[in-house]
Amino acid sequence: MSTFLLEMVTPEHVLFSLPVRAVRAPGIEGSLGILANHSPLMTVLQTGLVKVEHENGDEEYIATSGGFMEVSGSKTIILADTAERAADIDITRAEAAVAKAKDELAGGGTVDYHEASSSLERAMNRLKVAQLQNTK
């Protein structure tokens, strides 16, 4: 199967830059699948799961919280607001973050609803991605 270069970058670091067979990313209008020689495109990404099929066929899951993806020629770049490999996610901390965000939303008061619901969405995504990797 043909491969292409996938670069995944956050503001803090380059997560990786390596040849892959396929990538699936959470586009703003739905999930996008990219294979080698895909037509050029640029799209906004939303919070969700990025699934990478490596050159050797292994699959990897990455939790992201938005950003952009550019596909051009034999290279795809994901510029993610945040990106965390499933293997690096501490499930206990992710569960605690979900509980905290739910408490903030339930508490009312002076909580910024948009910020609290975004925090809950990111925490639930991280937990889902970590659990998905652990079922493999």
Side-chain angles (χ1 to χ4, degrees):
M1 181 178 240
S2 296
T3 64
F4 60 97
L5 180 64
L6 174 63
E7 291 184 356
M8 182 165 277
V9 181
T10 70
E12 290 80 33
H13 66 287
V14 175
L15 194 64
F16 58 76
S17 177
L18 41 88
V20 299
R21 289 183 184 177
V23 64
R24 180 162 297 282
I28 198 74
E29 294 184 14
S31 184
L32 296 145
I34 306 297
L35 298 171
N37 304 312
H38 193 285
S39 297
L41 69 87
M42 184 164 202
T43 188
V44 175
L45 298 177
Q46 61 185 352
T47 297
L49 162 76
V50 172
K51 179 180 174 185
V52 177
E53 184 181 343
H54 290 282
E55 193 172 22
N56 64 2
D58 290 349
E59 292 179 347
E60 180 176 11
Y61 303 100
I62 301 161
T64 62
S65 63
F68 298 90
M69 179 170 68
E70 178 184 15
V71 179
S72 60
S74 60
K75 183 177 183 179
T76 296
I77 302 170
I78 295 178
L79 303 170
D81 296 338
T82 63
E84 190 172 7
R85 288 181 147 130
D88 296 335
I89 298 172
D90 180 330
I91 291 179
T92 304
R93 282 186 52 224
E95 289 171 339
V98 168
K100 179 182 176 193
K102 284 182 177 179
D103 287 346
E104 287 178 1
L105 282 170
T110 61
V111 169
D112 179 336
Y113 179 80
H114 178 71
E115 185 177 321
S117 62
S118 292
S119 292
L120 178 59
E121 180 182 26
R122 289 189 305 271
M124 289 178 68
N125 181 56
R126 289 179 65 244
L127 184 58
K128 176 184 81 172
V129 170
Q131 291 170 337
L132 184 62
Q133 185 72 37
N134 286 337
T135 62
K136 291 283 178 184

